[in-house]
Amino acid sequence: MAKQERSGGSILQFSPFQSFVDEGFWHRLSSLKLNKFGIDDSPIAITGFYAPCSHSQVSNHLTLLSESLPCDESEQSSVPAISLGNRNRCSVPGILYNTNTLEAYHALDKKSLLKEEAKKIWEDIHTGKAVEDSAVLLRFLLISFADLKKWSFHYWFAFPALVFDPPVTVVELKPASQWFTSEEADSVSVACNGWRNSSLTAGVPFFLVCIASNSHATIRHLKDWEACQGDGRKVLFGFYDPCHLPNNPGWPLRNFLALICSRWNLKTVHFLCYRENRGFADLGVSLVGEAVITIPQGWRDLQCVPNAVGWELNKGRHISRVINLAKSMDPAMLAISAADLNLKLMRWRAWPSLNLDELSSTKCLLLGAGTLGCQVARMLMAWGVRKITLLDNGRVAMSNPLRQSLYTLDNCLNGGDFKAMAAVKSLKQIFPAVEAEGVVMAIPMPGHPVSSQEEESVLEDCRRLHELVESHDAVFLLTDTRESRWLPALLCANANKITITAALGFDSFLVMRHGSGPLNSSNDVKAESEIALSGDMDSLALADSGGERLGCYFCNDVVAPTDSTANRTLDQQCTVTRPGLAPIASSLAAELFVDILHHPNGIFAGVIADSTNSGGGDQPLGILPHQIRGSLHQFSQMTLVGHASESCTACSSTVITEYRKKGKEFLLPAINHPTYLEDLTGLTELMKSASSFKLDCNNETDDDDDDDDDYVEL
Amino acid sequence: MDVSCWDGTLSLNEFSRAARTFAEKWKIGNSAFPPWLWVNVPKRPFVASQQVDGFLSLENICLIRPSKVCGAEVSHLEEEETGFSEKEVAIDDATLVLSNHHEMHYYDFHIVYSASYRVPVLYFRGYYSDGCPLQLNEIEKDLPACSAKVLLESKWTFITQEEHPYLNRPWYKLHPCGTSEWMKLLFLGEAALAEKRVAIELYLVSWFSVVGQVIGLRIPIEMMNDRTN
């Protein structure tokens, strides 16, 4: 509180002004800086607003709003200014120095800037302007640097106050209701409310309170000082006090006292710290005090500007403030929060157990950036997937943009951009926060033999693909040939990754999830034992028994994948499909994927039986199908189940074991030798005997979907 | 209008009337709070509407948070050094050094009419005492305990962030998609006691009795009971 010592009382201590900057001010400053000021950093006249304290526990602030900055004629109010009338917005002049760099900001000579503003106040006191327009006593200074790349604003306020040397002392300071008689108090309240309610005077923060001998109080303008002198009259100097503290007046009193003593040569001043409650004068909270001033040497002299203090402390420290508004100004961040809120809406309204964290952290690998790849990528992003890798070795061709939704004509020019890279760029334009990567690479395929010179690089590609599969959580097989899906399917089975295949015919499609791999990887031991503990043995994919594991894309094959592209007619090579198919199949692939993620058993999930005893029972998922086959020819769709085949060229334990054991000695023959895989898996044997597979279907069998060698895609 | 065939919505004109009624009743019944003010929206040149457009505004509602224990608290402000070598004289003997650093949260509320849903929508935002905006997770901490429950359980009220229709900055709002449904239920319930008429002027009063709970602004019983005004 007040310090002790000094004759005549203790030093009067003033509560510093506190600043408040509305977000709108920074928005407006940014826009002015970008559109109008450019690199011009000359000082800008601004307006601050404040009002008397209206809350017994909280002080009011000196406020800056977007209206504080100069108005631009062209921006004529498309934004409504909240017209509270000027009773709650007392205007105060200020000046803004906004620098172009952070270095310039720190290099500003704060001492001299403060002195300059203090000089203006001093001059206004001496010329009498402060009596006419007393708000100039509260002139303030703001320095700032607006970093428009990071959307952060460095700033520092100063509220210049002329220093009395020796300091002003206080003889008494008490609530106004205790100082006035009760009649005087009533009269003062009425007069103050009148002053506050009149639009002529509501914005005038300094005034005289004249109390006649009959206790009648009037509020007068400062310039009426002479008229207020008279017999038996008490005159107090009143001001709007933003401070709420019971033992200290607010900052505005400092320069007010400077005005009083230099203008009217008073050594004893009775002052009223005017404060309100709920819009009315509150004399219990308002303070009346008696200050004793020793007029300092040289205060008569206009040239002799007193010292000034007033740089605002930041939590008690003499340092600048920084505010970061990226979250509300940076478009990329706004896009992120909008997307997040959108997904949360889904969770709130329809799917309480939607696991957004899982979706945003699952790493998805999309093999193929064509019609299927583009659509799946978009759908995944819409679901909140943020980590997407696209692999494709092709370039965008002129016909692509029509059906491949991430490309535009620009991508086709100059020979065409690499699809994987163009797709990534497009994804980032849609949603900047996506972590998308492109890989330009060809997938080694069986039936497309490689020469010995190429072996090294093909094996390198195999190794790279192996690593990509290992480093992602889910893989989507979205290429345009059957044989290009073989190696990925094998690698996924080997690594036991969630794998989704989508494949297109002319007017039919297949979307399926591969079953789990045949052998345990070390991760799976834990997962499997957890499932075993839960008693859900039906859905457990048991290694080596082959029986209950769901199949992969190749499990139905009777022949190993071969070169399907040679010796085909043009339309078969160009894989002409009905345009509507790819979006349908892609959407189903994405939805199936999301369902798998939410199934407690994930990749190990069976189909129907165990989805009913799933967790909270609140999954709006119906079944978790294995295969979805649809046809536009009849606008029909059905779900099928296929179990893993022990002779599968991609996911059988034979093949996986061989791959793990022999690595490139397995891969090279598989790629080069037409019958290697068939021999290895025993398909050759199988062909020789006259056995047939049993496919159990949920719905009636569709004749179309049995293996049809001509029908390359499915 | 008969309650049974009412769809729970109101027109822009009805909204303006209901807003006036609401503001008046609030002033009388809820004097602990500042009044709601009507803000006129300047007409956009290409909009042919003759109607007066505007919204209700209640600003600078202060919430005092208990001061945090000093220590490893994360300040929302980044602090930085001045880079000055000379020690500035910041304060003199006459400056009171404030020691009590309560954290203050301020809130602004706007009630805006949504032309597409034909219902009122509550927009709000929070900020610290220096103007830095509050994030949603911080606002949620300020909401009363029962409101968090309402937000979680109810399919009809949840908070989203959107551009304020007039101020062009992101504000939070209570999503209006369920409003007409529960307003109809609310009025049906009241109509059972009183007349069959829908007193549309009281729309906002009833609406706020639900919505206010979410943000912790209670409507006193007196406001609700007075039907005759």
Side-chain angles (χ1 to χ4, degrees):
Chain A
M1 211 221 97
K3 281 176 160 186
Q4 296 307 316
E5 358 124 10
R6 308 271 158 184
S7 59
S10 29
I11 294 182
L12 183 56
Q13 287 201 313
F14 305 86
S15 174
F17 238 138
Q18 290 165 67
S19 66
F20 171 91
V21 185
D22 182 81
E23 221 184 318
F25 177 83
W26 299 121
H27 279 251
R28 186 97 204 290
L29 178 64
S30 307
S31 140
L32 283 171
K33 190 79 186 147
L34 283 169
N35 303 326
K36 197 170 168 208
F37 300 146
I39 57 166
D40 178 10
D41 60 359
S42 35
I44 305 161
I46 57 177
T47 311
F49 304 100
Y50 93 108
C53 169
S54 50
H55 195 301
S56 60
Q57 289 170 285
V58 178
S59 289
N60 254 344
H61 296 80
L62 191 287
T63 301
L64 292 189
L65 310 163
S66 65
E67 298 93 275
S68 298
L69 285 158
C71 188
D72 201 10
E73 296 76 54
S74 61
E75 305 178 325
Q76 213 42 270
S77 286
S78 54
V79 172
I82 303 222
S83 42
L84 298 170
N86 49 13
R87 66 166 286 145
N88 283 334
R89 292 228 196 137
C90 202
S91 300
V92 159
I95 194 162
L96 166 64
Y97 286 87
N98 185 55
T99 60
N100 286 328
T101 63
L102 190 57
E103 292 73 38
Y105 174 72
H106 286 310
L108 287 170
D109 185 348
K110 302 210 298 301
K111 202 162 170 189
S112 78
L113 286 176
L114 183 66
K115 204 165 169 149
E116 207 176 306
E117 297 310 301
K119 186 163 176 222
K120 291 179 189 168
I121 297 176
W122 183 242
E123 283 168 359
D124 287 341
I125 288 178
H126 274 263
T127 59
K129 183 164 180 220
V131 174
E132 282 297 323
D133 178 16
S134 52
V136 300
L137 289 172
L138 296 174
R139 186 184 293 279
F140 65 96
L141 164 65
L142 173 62
I143 60 172
S144 71
F145 165 61
D147 183 338
L148 299 180
K149 290 200 177 64
K150 294 191 207 148
W151 306 100
S152 60
F153 303 87
H154 302 247
Y155 69 100
W156 207 337
F157 276 85
F159 302 105
L162 302 168
V163 174
F164 283 85
D165 188 9
V168 174
T169 57
V170 60
V171 169
E172 68 167 345
L173 185 67
K174 51 164 70 139
S177 51
Q178 289 175 26
W179 194 86
F180 293 119
T181 66
S182 63
E183 297 141 310
E184 287 172 340
D186 288 341
S187 186
V188 167
S189 291
V190 167
C192 286
N193 290 331
W195 181 265
R196 291 283 289 148
N197 284 329
S198 159
S199 54
L200 292 171
T201 51
V204 178
F206 297 95
F207 48 89
L208 301 168
V209 182
C210 299
I211 306 183
S213 41
N214 63 355
S215 301
H216 178 72
T218 50
I219 310 284
R220 306 290 290 269
H221 201 280
L222 290 182
K223 60 186 179 210
D224 297 338
W225 163 252
E226 269 76 42
C228 282
Q229 304 308 304
D231 6 77
R233 282 208 195 142
K234 287 194 252 188
V235 178
L236 295 99
F237 292 88
F239 70 100
Y240 294 167
D241 187 0
C243 173
H244 72 284
L245 296 170
N247 293 319
N248 301 85
W251 204 249
L253 183 58
R254 295 196 71 149
N255 289 341
F256 196 21
L257 290 176
L259 168 70
I260 294 167
C261 93
S262 75
R263 199 84 193 140
W264 297 302
N265 211 14
L266 295 178
K267 298 191 183 63
T268 308
V269 174
H270 283 100
F271 57 87
L272 167 67
C273 304
Y274 175 76
R275 301 160 179 189
E276 293 179 332
N277 186 15
R278 295 177 199 174
F280 294 103
D282 185 337
L283 295 186
V285 174
S286 299
L287 302 176
V288 169
E290 185 182 344
V292 174
I293 306 174
T294 318
I295 299 180
Q297 282 254 351
W299 271 45
R300 296 250 153 260
D301 184 1
L302 172 60
Q303 301 310 318
C304 196
V305 182
N307 283 332
V309 290
W311 284 104
E312 188 179 19
L313 293 179
N314 180 4
K315 289 208 166 51
R317 296 169 58 194
H318 184 67
I319 51 174
S320 167
R321 296 175 186 225
V322 180
I323 182 174
N324 184 286
L325 290 177
K327 285 225 169 84
S328 63
M329 290 178 79
D330 182 356
M333 300 209 62
L334 289 171
I336 293 174
S337 48
D340 282 345
L341 274 161
N342 199 280
L343 289 165
K344 280 178 190 160
L345 255 171
M346 210 175 357
R347 185 170 63 187
W348 288 325
R349 293 219 79 181
W351 191 355
S353 56
L354 176 59
N355 191 338
L356 296 173
D357 292 329
E358 176 105 34
L359 280 164
S360 63
S361 58
T362 301
K363 302 199 250 321
C364 292
L365 173 65
L366 276 59
L367 301 176
T371 47
L372 292 167
C374 289
Q375 275 307 109
V376 170
R378 275 178 167 272
M379 291 295 111
L380 289 177
M381 277 210 314
W383 267 109
V385 173
R386 300 277 178 260
K387 297 173 198 281
I388 300 177
T389 305
L390 285 138
L391 184 151
D392 197 300
N393 78 324
R395 290 181 182 270
V396 184
M398 287 286 180
S399 62
N400 292 162
L402 283 164
R403 291 163 178 258
Q404 303 183 11
S405 57
L406 292 177
Y407 309 129
T408 61
L409 182 64
D410 286 345
N411 298 124
C412 307
L413 306 176
N414 300 321
D417 301 330
F418 278 118
K419 280 188 173 179
M421 309 319 284
V424 159
K425 199 157 152 210
S426 182
L427 288 179
K428 286 183 181 159
Q429 276 176 324
I430 294 169
F431 188 70
V434 71
E435 295 161 47
E437 298 232 1
V439 178
V440 182
M441 196 188 95
I443 300 176
M445 301 184 272
H448 295 246
V450 295
S451 64
S452 43
Q453 301 105 299
E454 294 169 312
E455 265 177 27
E456 201 53 53
S457 77
V458 164
L459 284 175
E460 174 57 29
D461 287 346
C462 292
R463 192 198 54 77
R464 211 168 151 203
L465 193 58
H466 175 105
E467 267 167 29
L468 279 169
V469 168
E470 292 284 339
S471 63
H472 285 76
D473 304 310
V475 183
F476 291 78
L477 308 191
L478 309 170
T479 53
D480 59 357
T481 60
R482 162 179 270 167
E483 59 268 29
S484 60
R485 301 166 193 268
W486 172 77
L487 181 57
L490 182 144
L491 293 172
C492 289
N494 176 51
N496 209 25
K497 299 286 178 173
I498 294 173
T499 314
I500 309 234
T501 288
L504 305 175
F506 167 64
D507 63 3
S508 58
F509 66 84
L510 163 69
V511 172
M512 65 177 291
R513 61 181 170 102
H514 294 198
S516 54
L519 304 178
N520 296 340
S521 67
S522 53
N523 308 333
D524 301 331
V525 176
K526 182 165 175 275
E528 285 182 19
S529 58
E530 275 170 12
I531 296 173
L533 282 172
S534 74
D536 210 358
M537 295 299 284
D538 302 305
S539 62
L540 185 59
L542 299 167
D544 293 328
S545 72
E548 297 308 321
R549 256 196 329 124
L550 292 174
C552 79
Y553 178 65
F554 291 94
C555 282
N556 296 347
D557 278 7
V558 188
V559 291
T562 56
D563 186 347
S564 63
T565 58
N567 298 326
R568 279 196 297 170
T569 58
L570 185 67
D571 60 325
Q572 284 176 319
Q573 282 182 38
C574 293
T575 62
V576 174
T577 71
R578 286 180 70 156
L581 265 187
I584 295 173
S586 311
S587 307
L588 286 171
E591 299 294 321
L592 184 61
F593 162 70
V594 172
D595 279 10
I596 296 172
L597 273 195
H598 285 81
H599 196 286
N601 298 336
I603 194 178
F604 298 102
V607 181
I608 304 172
D610 43 59
S611 57
T612 54
N613 62 7
S614 61
D618 63 347
Q619 270 176 294
L621 318 172
I623 59 169
L624 189 63
H626 176 230
Q627 302 176 34
I628 308 167
R629 290 178 183 252
S631 157
L632 275 180
H633 181 60
Q634 292 144 338
F635 291 94
S636 65
Q637 184 175 298
M638 64 176 157
T639 56
L640 301 161
V641 181
H643 290 287
S645 159
E646 281 179 41
S647 317
C648 178
T649 53
C651 77
S652 61
S653 52
T654 321
V655 157
I656 301 292
T657 316
E658 201 70 2
Y659 170 67
R660 287 187 182 181
K661 241 179 9 189
K662 297 213 181 131
K664 66 178 184 191
E665 276 96 47
F666 161 78
L667 284 174
L668 284 174
I671 292 172
N672 290 334
H673 201 289
T675 60
Y676 174 75
L677 283 171
E678 289 161 8
D679 294 340
L680 178 65
T681 58
L683 270 179
T684 323
E685 283 300 312
L686 213 57
M687 288 270 278
K688 289 190 187 141
S689 69
S691 65
S692 61
F693 289 116
K694 235 197 187 150
L695 262 176
D696 54 60
C697 305
N698 309 352
N699 305 332
E700 57 171 349
T701 346
D702 189 347
D703 286 329
D704 287 349
D705 78 350
D706 283 355
D707 24 40
D708 180 359
D709 284 329
D710 295 331
Y711 224 63
V712 176
E713 303 315 322
L714 300 181
Chain B
M1 183 194 343
D2 198 323
V3 155
S4 52
C5 53
W6 181 55
D7 65 353
T9 64
L10 78 176
S11 70
L12 178 58
N13 268 336
E14 290 168 337
F15 171 76
S16 307
R17 278 165 44 210
R20 206 173 308 133
T21 311
F22 175 73
E24 279 161 16
K25 284 185 174 289
W26 175 276
K27 211 171 187 173
I28 300 167
N30 218 359
S31 55
F33 278 91
W36 286 87
L37 298 164
W38 178 263
V39 178
N40 277 322
V41 173
K43 276 212 258 296
R44 277 167 268 224
F46 42 81
V47 172
S49 164
Q50 298 301 316
Q51 297 169 322
V52 171
D53 207 354
F55 57 91
L56 282 172
S57 156
L58 181 67
E59 299 197 338
N60 291 335
I61 302 300
C62 177
L63 197 64
I64 302 175
R65 311 301 298 141
S67 44
K68 288 209 182 81
V69 176
C70 286
E73 64 174 58
V74 176
S75 171
H76 66 276
L77 287 176
E78 305 153 41
E79 295 183 344
E80 57 172 22
E81 295 310 314
T82 57
F84 265 90
S85 47
E86 55 175 288
K87 201 71 173 76
E88 270 286 319
V89 174
I91 60 174
D92 61 346
D93 289 344
T95 309
L96 178 70
V97 178
L98 301 164
S99 54
N100 217 355
H101 291 298
H102 280 300
E103 201 167 271
M104 232 73 74
H105 292 178
Y106 291 81
Y107 284 89
D108 291 345
F109 301 99
H110 288 179
I111 302 178
V112 185
Y113 180 74
S114 161
S116 47
Y117 286 96
R118 290 173 48 89
V119 295
V121 184
L122 181 73
Y123 282 83
F124 61 95
R125 65 170 185 147
Y127 39 94
Y128 290 99
S129 59
D130 61 354
C132 185
L134 288 170
Q135 296 306 315
L136 185 58
N137 56 333
E138 291 157 330
I139 292 180
E140 279 172 350
K141 286 190 214 148
D142 283 343
L143 296 176
C146 61
S147 131
K149 199 158 163 290
V150 167
L151 282 174
L152 263 175
E153 293 173 0
S154 168
K155 283 170 44 156
W156 288 330
T157 44
F158 34 82
I159 300 175
T160 71
Q161 185 180 45
E162 262 182 49
E163 283 247 312
H164 189 288
Y166 304 116
L167 299 181
N168 297 326
R169 281 196 293 284
W171 279 52
Y172 292 102
K173 75 178 201 188
L174 287 183
H175 202 277
C177 57
T179 301
S180 59
E181 293 162 31
W182 54 257
M183 276 306 293
K184 180 159 181 166
L185 285 179
L186 208 59
F187 267 62
L188 270 173
E190 287 162 11
L193 302 170
E195 342 147 343
K196 289 286 180 188
R197 245 190 73 241
V198 173
I200 205 79
E201 321 79 63
L202 297 174
Y203 190 102
L204 275 182
V205 178
S206 303
W207 174 83
F208 198 82
S209 69
V210 174
V211 159
Q213 284 183 53
V214 176
I215 50 169
L217 288 180
R218 285 267 142 65
I219 284 215
I221 296 291
E222 300 76 47
M223 270 183 79
M224 294 299 300
N225 284 346
D226 188 1
R227 283 358 222 135
T228 56
N229 233 349

